[in-house]
Amino acid sequence: MDYVDFIHLNILEKKVLNNSEVSVQYLCSKPCIINLEAVASSEFRTGVPVYRKRWKDEKNLYVSRTRQVHLKFPSIMVYRDDYIIRNSIIVHSVILYAWISHKSVSRYDVEQNEDYQDAVAKNYTFLEAVPPFERPYKDHKVCLQWGADYLWMLQANRIPQCPHESDGVQILNFIYASSGEKTGIVKKFEQFENRELETVRLHQIDYPMFTVSIWLYLLHHCEKDLCGILYFIDAKEMYSTPAVFLNEEGYVHIQMHLMRGDDLAVKTSFSLPLRQWFRLDLSFKGGQIEVSSVGKNLKRHRHQSFIFREDFYYDDTAGYFVLGGSGYVNGIEAFFGPVKYYRLNVLETEQISNPLHDKETVEQIELYYERCMDIQEIVYEYRYIVRQGEKAQRNCYYENYYLELIHKYGEKSKCDAFMWGKELREKYHTLFKLLKEMDFSAPDVLEGGSDTVLEVGRRIFEKVTKGLSSTDGLSNMGSSVPLLVDSSCCGYHKASYFLAVIFETGLAVSMDRTKGLLYSLVGAQGNERLAMMNLGYKHYQGINNYPLDLELSYAYYSNIAIKTSLDQHTIKGEQAFVETIRLMDDELLKAQTKENGDVFMWLKHEATRGNAAAQQRLAQMLFWGQQGVAKNPEAAIEWYAKGATETEDPVLIYDYAIVLFKGQGVKKNTKLALELMKKAAAKGLPQAVNGLGWYYHNFKKDYRKAAEHWLIAEELGNPDASYNLGVLYLDGIYPGVPGRNQTVAARYFYKAAQGGHIEGTLRCSLYYITGNMEDFPRDPEKAVIWAKHIAEKNGYLGHVIRKALNAYLELSWHEALLHYVLAAETGIEVSQSNLAHICEERPDLARKYLATDCVWRYYNFSVSQVNAPSFAYLKMGDFYYYGYQNHSKDLELSMRMYAQAALEGDSQGFFNLALVIEEGNSIPSYILDHLEIDQTLHSSNTSLLQELYYRCWNNSNQESISPCSLALLYFYMRVFWNNILQSTLIYFMGTFLLSILVAFAVQYFQSLSAHNSPGTRSEPSSAEPSSSGNSNEDATRLVQQDESSFSNDLTQQDSNPQNPLVMS
C-alpha cells in the first residue's frame, strides 16, 4: 500500500498572540524533517521570518501523528508599548508555513526557500494581526527602580489612544443638490497620523495609487465647455491630479498634472446616463486610469482604461478637493450621492464599499422626475394644441367680422377635445382643470416650450398662494398641495420650497420628513434661494435628521451669498431690504408705514420742503422697499435727483451719482455722474472718494489715480476702498508693485469684511474653507458663519419677511403664520423668534395648523444662533426651569440660559440667577466662571447674591426704580437685620414686616412709573424667574444699507485658474 505524505495545521484562535497553540498533524513515508515558519509583513518590510521551528521524525513512519507547538513571536509584535518596549510595530499580515522534506541530517540547516519549494508536503494559514492598542501589556518579570517605575506610571496614560486610521475616506455621506453654478463642496485632507500610512503616501506622490467612487443622478449634460464633478486645486490655485469634468456630450473629461510640470487630459468614449442613479468609479495606478459606470444593482455598465508612459504628480494634502462648482468652473446639474475616496489603494468595482444610503429619498427623487416629465409634456402639448386652434380661428377673421369680435371680447380658447387617455386625465385631473382655465394667448406665455412650462408653473403657484393667504386659507392646504406639486414640476421652485416647509413642519398636513427633504433638494437644485438656505441651515446645526456637515452647509450658503451680492445690483424681482424688526418691539412696529401712512406722508411733506434728511430717507425707503413701503426705484430716483440738485447734502449727491453711473432706473449719464461724484468727494464724503477711484479704474484704466483715491478713502474708513485695493494686489496691477500678491490682497479683503463689505466677507469665507492662505488657517465653521451672514441679507428672503410682517400688522394670521414659517426655516433668527411669539400670542392657531411644538422649536432654534437675543435665552431658561409641556425640567440648562442672557447685558438674567440661589439652589462653578465672577465668591451664597444683584442693578436703568434696585436694597437690609438681631423670633417677625413694607413700596413706585411713562415696559417684579420683559432693552434700529457699493465684483482670478483646462 502506498502512503502519501501530508501535513495539516489546526489553530483555535488565528491571531498573532504570544504562546499561541498550533496543532500540527502530519504523516511521513520516509525519515523526514517537519518545518514551521511564520513570516510577517508591514508597510516597510515584507517576508520577514519571525518564528521558526523544526524537528525530525525517523521512526514513526506510515503513521499519522499530531504535535502541539506553542508559537512565540517578538514582543514588539504582540505587546503594547511600555517603559521597556518602546516601538511596537503594526503588522499587516502573518503567514504560518508548514512543510515536510525528506532530507538527511546533513541537510538540516538548509535555507527555507529551497527547502519549501522541494517539500513533499506543504501547507500554510494566515494569522490575523492585532492592532497595537488592542494588545496586552507584557509582564517583564523585572522590578524597575522607583524613579523609572514612577516615570512609567506618569507616561502610561499618555500613550495616544488613536482610532484605527484608514485610507478610505467618506467625502460625502448625504445627498447634495448641485445647481450647476460656481459653488460646491470643499474638502481638505491632512497628512496621516499613522507614520506608516504617511510614509506610503509620500512614496506615491510620483506614482499615484488611489480610487474615487461617486454616486450621481445627472439631470443634464454640461451646457457649455466643461462642468466640474471632482477636481483638486493645489496651493497655487492651479488644477492638479485628479481633475474630473463633464462635457457637453456627456463624456467624462479627466485631467492630470504631470511630474514634468504640464498637464495631460483624456476623454471617455462613453457618455454618462441621464435621470438615473449610477456610480462613477475612477482608479489611478501610476500611469494607468480605470473608469467605470456602475448601476444601482452594482453591475458594471461601461468601462474604459487609459495607459500612459508619463508620471503623474499627486499630493492630496497640498491643496483642496472640490465636489461640483467653484470660482473657476461651473458644477454639474445633478444630485451627488455618497462619495468615497481611497487615498492609497487601487480597488476593483467589486471591492469598493460605497453603498447608496437613504434608499427611500433616492427612489423619491427618481419618481419625482418621472412624474415631472409627464406634466411638462402635457403642458407643452396642451399649449401647442390651443395655439393651433387659435391660428385656425384667426384665418377666418378676415372673412367674418362677427368671429373677430367674439375672439376679441368673448371667452378665451380652451381645449375641450382631449387627446389624452382617461387614465392620464384622472391621474392629473387638477392640472387639466387649471390648464382649461388659463389663457395661452397672453403675451407672457412665450413661444419657447420651457418658458411656457415655467410660466404655467408660476401661474399655478400664484393661484395657490393667493388662496393660502386669505382668511382661513391654511384650512385649504390639503387641496393646495397637489397644485404646488404641479407647479414644482413645471420648474417653478418657489413651490418646491413651499412643499418642503409644509411637509417638514406639518403645516396643515401630516408631517412627512422624507417629502420635506425631497422638495428641499429639488428646490435647491433648481436654484431656489430659500431652499438652499434651508439646507445650509439644517446641515450647519445638524437638526431634523440632517447630518452636521459644515462643508456641505457652506456649499449652500456660499451659493446664496454670491447671489446676494449680485441681487443687490439689480432692481428687478421680488426683493426687499432685510430688516430686523421684532414683534415684541412696539416702537419699531409703530414706525412701519405704507405709501398712505402717516410716517410716509410726513417724510414726503418734509422732503418736499427741502429737508435733506427726509429726502434721503424717503429715497432709501422707495429704492430698497424699507419700512413697509413698496419698492419703487423710479420714484426713489426722483427724490435722489431732487435732493442732489436742490440741496448741498453730499450723501444725496453721491446716491444720485451712483444711479447715473449704473443706469439703475434711469438712463446712464457718466458725465453728469462724474461731476456729482467730484462734488460729493470735495465735501469729504468717504464713499464718494472711493467712487472716484472706481471711475478711474473702470472707465479710464488709470490704476495709479484709482489707488490714490482708494488709499484716501480707506484712511477715512471706507470698506469698499479696502476691498478695491485688495483687488489691485490680487490682479497684479497695483502701481509700482510687480506681480500678484495674494497675501496683501487677503489682508485688505479681511479689513473690508470687518467693515461689513459683502464681497470682502465672501472672499474671507472662501479662504477659511480652503485653508490655502497663510493668514487664514482652515476653519469651516467660521467660513459657514461668514457666508450665512451674507446670505441672510438676500432681498428675496427680505421680501418673504416683509410679507409676513405686513400680514401680522393687518391681523391676517394665516398669511403671517405661513410666511413666518417659510422665513424661519431658512435659519434667520429674527423670523424664528417672531414665529415663536406668534405661536405664544395665538396658541389655538399653532395647535391647529402646525404639527411641531412651535414655541419650543423656534425659541430653541433662536438660542442656537450666533446673534440670539437675550429674551430668547430668558424664554428657554423659563421653559427648562418650570418644565414646558412634554419637556422635563432641567435646572442646570435653565441656569446656563439665564447666564447667557446676562452675558448679553440683560439685567433679567442676573435677576433670575439670584432668585435661583434664593430658592436654595447652587450655581455650578463653570457657569460662574463664564460670568467672570471671582472664584473667592463661589463658596458664599451671600457674596454671590450681592454680586448678582449688583450686576443686575448695574445693567438696568439706574435713573428709575427697578426690581434690581429694590432687590439689592432688600438684600442689604436683610444682611443688616441679620447682623443686629440674634433672636430667631424677632428676626422672623421683622423680616415679615419688612417684606410687607417693600411690597407696598414696589406697588407704589410701579403705579407712579406707569403714570409718568405709560408707553414704556417695566421689568418684572415677580419673585420668580421670568422673561416677560426688560426695561433697559434698547429698541433695535434699522441698519441703513449702503447701496453705494462701488466695488470690482469679479477679478481675473474668478475667470479661470492659472493653468487652463487641457482639451482632451
Side-chain angles (χ1 to χ4, degrees), residues 259-320:
M259 287 296 296
R260 65 171 185 249
D262 53 351
D263 298 293
L264 180 68
V266 294
K267 182 177 68 175
T268 61
S269 59
F270 63 87
S271 62
L272 298 182
L274 296 177
R275 298 184 186 272
Q276 61 176 285
W277 284 100
F278 66 93
R279 197 178 78 191
L280 180 65
D281 295 338
L282 302 102
S283 63
F284 291 73
K285 184 179 181 181
Q288 182 174 347
I289 305 173
E290 302 286 338
V291 186
S292 300
S293 171
V294 181
K296 282 175 65 177
N297 56 4
L298 299 184
K299 290 184 178 179
R300 181 184 290 177
H301 291 168
R302 299 292 184 90
H303 176 79
Q304 190 171 359
S305 298
F306 301 96
I307 300 176
F308 305 93
R309 295 181 180 177
E310 301 283 352
D311 292 327
F312 302 152
Y313 179 82
Y314 166 72
D315 184 358
D316 65 355
T317 65
Y320 57 91

Side-chain angles (χ1 to χ4, degrees), residues 568-628:
Q568 289 191 353
H569 294 290
T570 61
I571 58 177
K572 296 180 180 179
E574 296 181 332
Q575 295 192 69
F577 184 68
V578 179
E579 300 168 284
T580 304
I581 301 172
R582 303 193 182 279
L583 302 184
M584 295 180 178
D585 193 329
D586 293 335
E587 184 181 340
L588 270 182
L589 290 181
K590 290 176 183 177
Q592 302 308 301
T593 185
K594 288 189 175 181
E595 287 78 354
N596 58 353
D598 293 341
V599 175
F600 185 86
M601 296 304 291
W602 179 83
L603 280 172
K604 189 174 181 180
H605 172 71
E606 290 296 307
T608 305
R609 293 177 57 193
N611 187 317
Q615 290 172 342
Q616 183 182 341
R617 182 68 195 127
L618 198 65
Q620 287 178 345
M621 289 166 65
L622 289 166
F623 195 88
W624 298 104
Q626 294 178 0
Q627 213 167 321

Side-chain angles (χ1 to χ4, degrees), residues 9 34 106 170 193 248 319 377 430 454 466 544 552 645 672 694 769 797 810 834 865 933 1052:
L9 298 172
I34 298 90
S106 61
Q170 198 76 41
E193 294 181 9
E248 296 173 355
E377 185 177 350
T430 55
L454 183 62
K466 184 178 180 180
N544 289 9
L552 185 51
T645 54
L672 178 58
W694 179 86
I769 197 69
L797 173 62
E810 295 167 3
N834 281 349
Q865 302 273 24
I933 293 178
Q1052 295 173 6

Side-chain angles (χ1 to χ4, degrees), residues 128-145:
E128 181 184 349
V130 180
F133 296 106
E134 294 181 14
R135 300 172 189 169
Y137 287 108
K138 183 177 181 179
D139 184 2
H140 293 284
K141 306 293 185 184
V142 295
C143 184
L144 298 174
Q145 294 181 355

Side-chain angles (χ1 to χ4, degrees), residues 81-232:
D81 282 359
D82 58 20
Y83 192 76
I84 297 175
I85 302 173
R86 294 292 181 159
N87 294 298
S88 60
I89 62 172
I90 299 175
V91 179
H92 283 184
S93 64
V94 176
I95 306 176
L96 181 63
Y97 294 98
W99 69 94
I100 297 173
S101 56
H102 294 167
K103 300 294 183 182
S104 61
V105 177
S106 61
R107 299 276 292 175
Y108 190 73
D109 59 348
V110 73
E111 289 295 324
Q112 178 250 345
N113 287 340
E114 178 187 348
D115 204 11
Y116 185 76
Q117 296 300 324
D118 297 336
V120 295
K122 51 189 174 183
N123 206 336
Y124 69 92
T125 187
F126 288 95
L127 301 180
E128 181 184 349
V130 180
F133 296 106
E134 294 181 14
R135 300 172 189 169
Y137 287 108
K138 183 177 181 179
D139 184 2
H140 293 284
K141 306 293 185 184
V142 295
C143 184
L144 298 174
Q145 294 181 355
W146 179 86
D149 187 52
Y150 182 71
L151 286 174
W152 160 241
M153 290 177 65
L154 290 176
Q155 297 175 3
N157 294 327
R158 296 183 184 177
I159 293 179
Q161 306 293 317
C162 297
H164 175 64
E165 191 173 15
S166 170
D167 78 311
V169 181
Q170 198 76 41
I171 293 180
L172 183 63
N173 268 317
F174 202 74
I175 297 174
Y176 166 54
S178 174
S179 61
E181 296 183 303
K182 291 191 172 184
T183 54
I185 300 173
V186 176
K187 288 284 184 179
K188 189 175 181 69
F189 296 101
E190 303 296 334
Q191 298 177 357
F192 287 103
E193 294 181 9
N194 185 303
R195 292 170 297 178
E196 297 179 357
L197 292 178
E198 180 59 19
T199 301
V200 175
R201 190 192 70 81
L202 293 173
H203 287 167
Q204 292 183 2
I205 285 179
D206 58 353
Y207 191 84
M209 294 181 64
F210 64 92
T211 304
V212 180
S213 176
I214 308 169
W215 280 102
L216 290 171
Y217 186 86
L218 200 58
L219 293 174
H220 305 284
H221 293 147
C222 192
E223 288 188 2
K224 184 181 179 182
D225 299 328
L226 298 175
C227 296
I229 299 178
L230 176 73
Y231 46 96
F232 188 78

Side-chain angles (χ1 to χ4, degrees), residues 667-884:
K667 186 178 180 181
K668 281 187 178 182
N669 189 334
T670 305
K671 183 178 179 181
L672 178 58
L674 180 59
E675 291 177 5
L676 292 171
M677 191 67 73
K678 287 181 177 180
K679 186 177 180 181
K683 293 178 178 291
L685 191 68
Q687 53 264 46
V689 179
N690 170 74
L692 285 177
W694 179 86
Y695 170 79
Y696 285 115
H697 178 274
N698 289 276
F699 288 88
K700 297 296 184 180
K701 305 300 178 185
D702 189 337
Y703 303 133
R704 184 183 60 80
K705 279 192 175 181
E708 288 175 358
H709 283 87
W710 285 338
L711 284 170
I712 295 171
E714 196 216 9
E715 288 181 3
L716 295 172
N718 183 260
D720 288 337
S722 300
Y723 179 82
N724 291 333
L725 287 168
V727 171
L728 291 182
Y729 278 103
L730 188 65
D731 290 347
I733 55 177
Y734 192 90
V737 178
R740 304 170 77 238
N741 192 327
Q742 295 190 55
T743 303
V744 175
R747 290 171 186 163
Y748 275 114
F749 293 149
Y750 184 79
K751 188 172 182 180
Q754 293 295 96
H757 193 275
I758 288 180
E759 285 84 4
T761 306
L762 276 174
R763 286 197 176 275
C764 290
S765 72
L766 179 63
Y767 293 150
Y768 280 122
I769 197 69
T770 63
N772 251 15
M773 196 65 61
E774 59 179 329
D775 292 338
F776 293 81
R778 190 167 193 263
D779 191 339
E781 184 173 7
K782 186 174 287 187
V784 171
I785 291 172
W786 285 39
K788 180 176 184 287
H789 173 70
I790 299 302
E792 289 180 349
K793 295 178 181 290
N794 190 272
Y796 289 90
L797 173 62
H799 177 72
V800 175
I801 296 173
R802 170 48 61 181
K803 289 185 74 173
L805 180 60
N806 288 344
Y808 177 82
L809 294 173
E810 295 167 3
L811 300 182
S812 179
W813 294 104
H814 285 243
E815 185 179 6
L817 182 66
L818 171 65
H819 286 94
Y820 268 125
V821 170
L822 291 170
E825 288 296 310
T826 65
I828 187 165
E829 188 283 322
V830 65
S831 294
Q832 292 174 338
S833 54
N834 281 349
L835 178 57
H837 177 76
I838 288 178
C839 293
E840 282 186 307
E841 197 173 358
R842 289 292 306 274
D844 56 324
L845 196 71
R847 283 193 299 267
K848 184 176 181 180
Y849 292 113
L850 282 171
T852 58
D853 188 342
C854 176
V855 177
W856 175 273
R857 173 183 174 89
Y858 292 105
Y859 274 134
N860 211 3
F861 282 177
S862 176
V863 297
S864 67
Q865 302 273 24
V866 176
N867 57 338
S870 61
F871 70 82
Y873 289 115
L874 293 173
K875 284 285 186 182
M876 289 306 300
D878 289 349
F879 293 159
Y880 285 123
Y881 188 85
Y882 297 111
Y884 181 78

